[in-house]
Amino acid sequence: IEVYEKMQDWSAVIKAGNLFRRKFGGEAKYDERAVEALFKIAEAHAESKNQKAAEKAYEKALKEFHKRNLGVTTRAAYFAAKARFLQAGQVFAKFDAMKFWKNPKNWKQEIDAKTKMEATVAKAYKTVLEYKQAEWTLAALYHIACTKERLARSLFDAPIVPTKVPVDPDERVMYRHWLTDIAEPIEDAAVELY
């Protein structure tokens, strides 16, 4: 599999991974390698721009890791942690794509939705910590902090959304203070995590 990876022959990686699983996947002594093969198949799908197949293979690798009762001290835990991290990255991408102020009438709902999505992203990245793999634990914690920081920054940088025209200067100040009151604790939490 590694040779095909170096050659960036992703279809060959997938074939070799599946062949390994068919030949040796049922043997207990190859439990860790079977999980690794599934992970490599998922990466090959991702490199081939087949995100749907990649997501399915990442999930399959995680299920296989748990089904085989492999512990956090095994080599397979590294691949399980990375798979979980990459899955959380998909949730992060959805969060990052969310925009405020699309509809001035719904700005409060948009803030609430993005805040809830930030919590969903944090929860997704926290699942990475279960595998106790230093590299992926640090990366997950960084992304949790980054998500909080991005939410806070979007609130600090928010334009004044008029609820009526023209907007009273005092209302502008009150609105800005309200956004700052929401954003500051989020930013503080991000700084603490960094």
Side-chain angles (χ1 to χ4, degrees), residues 2 7 14 28 41 45 61 65 78 82 112 134 146 159 162 174 189:
E2 287 82 13
M7 293 170 49
I14 294 165
I41 290 167
H45 283 301
F65 176 83
Y78 175 88
K82 188 174 180 182
D112 290 344
C146 181
M174 287 174 50

Side-chain angles (χ1 to χ4, degrees), residues 32-147:
E32 292 180 51
R33 293 285 186 184
V35 171
E36 181 180 354
L38 279 167
F39 178 81
K40 299 288 185 172
I41 290 167
E43 278 191 323
H45 283 301
E47 289 291 340
S48 300
K49 308 291 185 240
N50 186 347
Q51 199 55 42
K52 205 172 205 175
E55 288 173 23
K56 192 174 177 182
Y58 286 132
E59 190 58 39
K60 199 170 186 179
L62 288 163
K63 284 180 181 175
E64 199 71 23
F65 176 83
H66 292 288
K67 182 177 116 184
R68 293 173 187 253
N69 292 318
L70 298 170
V72 296
T73 58
T74 63
R75 174 185 164 112
Y78 175 88
F79 296 106
K82 188 174 180 182
R84 189 64 81 195
F85 178 83
L86 293 170
Q87 285 181 327
Q90 296 296 315
V91 181
F92 177 80
K94 289 176 187 170
F95 164 84
D96 215 26
M98 291 178 80
K99 302 291 181 220
F100 282 152
W101 329 122
K102 291 184 288 187
N103 183 347
K105 293 178 183 176
N106 296 330
W107 56 269
K108 176 78 169 99
Q109 292 88 341
E110 290 174 0
I111 290 172
D112 290 344
K114 186 130 182 172
T115 302
K116 286 178 185 170
M117 189 62 172
E118 180 272 324
T120 302
V121 171
K123 185 178 178 182
Y125 278 117
K126 284 178 184 175
T127 63
V128 175
L129 310 183
E130 298 168 12
Y131 299 96
K132 300 185 185 319
Q133 300 298 305
E135 179 180 350
W136 300 111
T137 295
L138 289 172
L141 291 172
Y142 174 82
H143 275 76
I144 292 169
C146 181
T147 304

Side-chain angles (χ1 to χ4, degrees), residues 157-172:
D157 296 344
I160 302 297
V161 179
T163 53
K164 61 183 179 190
V165 180
V167 177
D168 182 304
D170 290 338
E171 285 181 344
R172 287 178 167 284

